[in-house]
Coordinates of all heavy atoms in Angstrom, one line a residue:
Chain B
N9 N -20.0 -5.1 -15.6 CA -20.1 -5.0 -16.9 C -18.7 -4.7 -17.7 O -18.3 -5.4 -18.7 CB -21.0 -4.0 -17.5 CG -22.6 -4.5 -17.3 OD1 -22.7 -5.7 -16.9 ND2 -23.5 -3.6 -17.3
L10 N -18.0 -3.7 -17.1 CA -16.7 -3.4 -17.6 C -15.7 -4.5 -17.6 O -14.9 -4.7 -18.5 CB -16.2 -2.1 -17.0 CG -16.8 -0.8 -17.3 CD1 -16.4 0.3 -16.4 CD2 -16.5 -0.5 -18.9
I11 N -15.7 -5.1 -16.4 CA -14.7 -6.2 -16.3 C -15.1 -7.4 -17.2 O -14.4 -8.0 -17.8 CB -14.6 -6.8 -14.7 CG1 -14.1 -5.6 -13.9 CG2 -13.8 -8.0 -14.6 CD1 -14.1 -5.8 -12.3
K12 N -16.4 -7.6 -17.3 CA -16.9 -8.7 -18.1 C -16.5 -8.6 -19.5 O -16.0 -9.5 -20.1 CB -18.4 -9.0 -17.8 CG -19.0 -10.1 -18.5 CD -20.5 -10.3 -18.1 CE -20.9 -11.5 -18.8 NZ -22.4 -11.5 -18.6
E13 N -16.6 -7.3 -20.0 CA -16.4 -7.0 -21.3 C -14.9 -7.2 -21.7 O -14.5 -7.6 -22.7 CB -16.9 -5.5 -21.7 CG -16.8 -5.1 -23.0 CD -17.2 -3.6 -22.9 OE1 -18.0 -3.1 -22.3 OE2 -16.5 -2.8 -23.8
K14 N -14.0 -6.6 -20.7 CA -12.7 -6.4 -21.1 C -11.9 -7.7 -20.8 O -10.9 -8.1 -21.5 CB -12.0 -5.3 -20.3 CG -12.6 -4.0 -20.5 CD -12.0 -3.4 -21.8 CE -12.8 -2.1 -22.2 NZ -13.0 -1.1 -21.1
L15 N -12.3 -8.5 -19.8 CA -11.4 -9.6 -19.3 C -12.2 -11.0 -19.6 O -11.5 -12.0 -19.3 CB -11.0 -9.5 -17.8 CG -10.3 -8.3 -17.4 CD1 -10.3 -8.1 -15.9 CD2 -8.9 -8.3 -18.1
Q16 N -13.3 -10.9 -20.1 CA -14.1 -12.2 -20.4 C -13.8 -13.3 -19.4 O -13.4 -14.4 -19.6 CB -13.8 -12.8 -21.8 CG -14.4 -12.0 -22.9 CD -13.5 -11.6 -24.1 OE1 -12.5 -12.2 -24.2 NE2 -14.0 -10.8 -24.9
P17 N -14.2 -13.1 -18.2 CA -14.0 -14.0 -17.1 C -14.9 -15.1 -17.1 O -16.0 -15.1 -17.6 CB -14.3 -13.0 -15.8 CG -15.3 -12.1 -16.3 CD -14.9 -11.7 -17.6
S18 N -14.3 -16.3 -16.7 CA -15.3 -17.5 -16.5 C -15.9 -17.5 -15.2 O -17.0 -18.1 -15.1 CB -14.5 -18.8 -16.7 OG -13.4 -18.7 -15.7
H19 N -15.5 -16.7 -14.2 CA -16.3 -16.5 -13.0 C -16.0 -15.1 -12.7 O -14.9 -14.5 -12.7 CB -15.8 -17.5 -12.0 CG -16.4 -17.1 -10.7 ND1 -17.4 -17.8 -10.1 CD2 -15.9 -16.4 -9.6 CE1 -17.6 -17.4 -8.9 NE2 -16.9 -16.5 -8.5
L20 N -17.1 -14.4 -12.2 CA -16.9 -13.1 -11.7 C -17.9 -12.7 -10.6 O -19.1 -12.9 -10.8 CB -17.1 -12.0 -12.9 CG -17.2 -10.5 -12.6 CD1 -15.8 -9.9 -12.0 CD2 -17.5 -9.7 -13.9
T21 N -17.4 -12.2 -9.4 CA -18.3 -11.5 -8.4 C -17.8 -10.2 -8.2 O -16.7 -9.9 -8.1 CB -18.2 -12.5 -7.2 OG1 -17.1 -12.5 -6.6 CG2 -19.0 -13.8 -7.4
V22 N -18.8 -9.3 -8.3 CA -18.6 -7.8 -7.8 C -19.4 -7.6 -6.6 O -20.7 -7.7 -6.8 CB -18.8 -6.9 -8.9 CG1 -18.6 -5.5 -8.5 CG2 -17.9 -7.2 -10.0
E23 N -19.0 -7.3 -5.5 CA -19.7 -7.1 -4.4 C -19.6 -5.6 -3.9 O -18.6 -5.1 -3.7 CB -19.2 -8.0 -3.2 CG -20.1 -8.2 -2.0 CD -19.3 -8.9 -0.9 OE1 -18.2 -9.3 -1.1 OE2 -20.0 -8.8 0.3
D24 N -20.7 -5.0 -3.7 CA -20.8 -3.6 -3.3 C -20.7 -3.6 -1.8 O -21.5 -4.0 -1.0 CB -22.0 -3.0 -3.8 CG -22.0 -1.4 -3.6 OD1 -21.3 -1.0 -2.8 OD2 -22.8 -0.7 -4.2
V25 N -19.6 -3.0 -1.2 CA -19.4 -3.0 0.1 C -19.3 -1.5 0.6 O -18.6 -1.2 1.6 CB -18.3 -3.8 0.7 CG1 -18.4 -5.3 0.6 CG2 -17.0 -3.5 -0.1
S26 N -20.0 -0.6 -0.1 CA -20.0 0.8 0.2 C -20.3 1.0 1.6 O -21.2 0.4 2.2 CB -20.8 1.5 -0.8 OG -20.5 1.5 -2.0
D27 N -19.6 1.8 2.3 CA -19.8 2.0 3.8 C -20.1 3.5 4.1 O -20.0 3.9 5.2 CB -18.5 1.5 4.5 CG -17.3 2.3 3.9 OD1 -17.5 3.2 3.1 OD2 -16.2 2.1 4.5
G28 N -20.6 4.2 3.1 CA -21.0 5.6 3.4 C -19.9 6.5 3.1 O -20.0 7.7 3.0
C29 N -18.7 5.9 2.9 CA -17.4 6.7 2.8 C -17.3 6.9 1.2 O -16.7 7.9 0.8 CB -16.3 6.0 3.2 SG -14.9 7.0 3.6
G30 N -18.0 6.2 0.3 CA -17.8 6.3 -1.0 C -18.0 4.9 -1.7 O -18.1 3.9 -0.9
A31 N -18.0 4.8 -3.0 CA -18.2 3.6 -3.6 C -16.9 2.6 -3.4 O -15.8 3.0 -3.4 CB -18.0 3.8 -5.1
K32 N -17.3 1.5 -2.9 CA -16.2 0.5 -2.4 C -16.8 -0.9 -2.9 O -17.9 -1.3 -2.7 CB -16.3 0.5 -0.9 CG -15.2 0.0 -0.2 CD -15.2 0.4 1.1 CE -14.1 -0.3 2.1 NZ -14.2 0.0 3.5

Side-chain angles (χ1 to χ4, degrees):
Chain B
N9 289 346
L10 284 172
I11 294 176
K12 194 172 174 188
E13 183 189 325
K14 303 277 170 50
L15 298 171
Q16 281 139 15
S18 56
H19 172 93
L20 173 63
T21 56
V22 177
E23 191 191 354
D24 188 339
V25 288
S26 300
D27 53 3
C29 199
K32 199 169 169 182

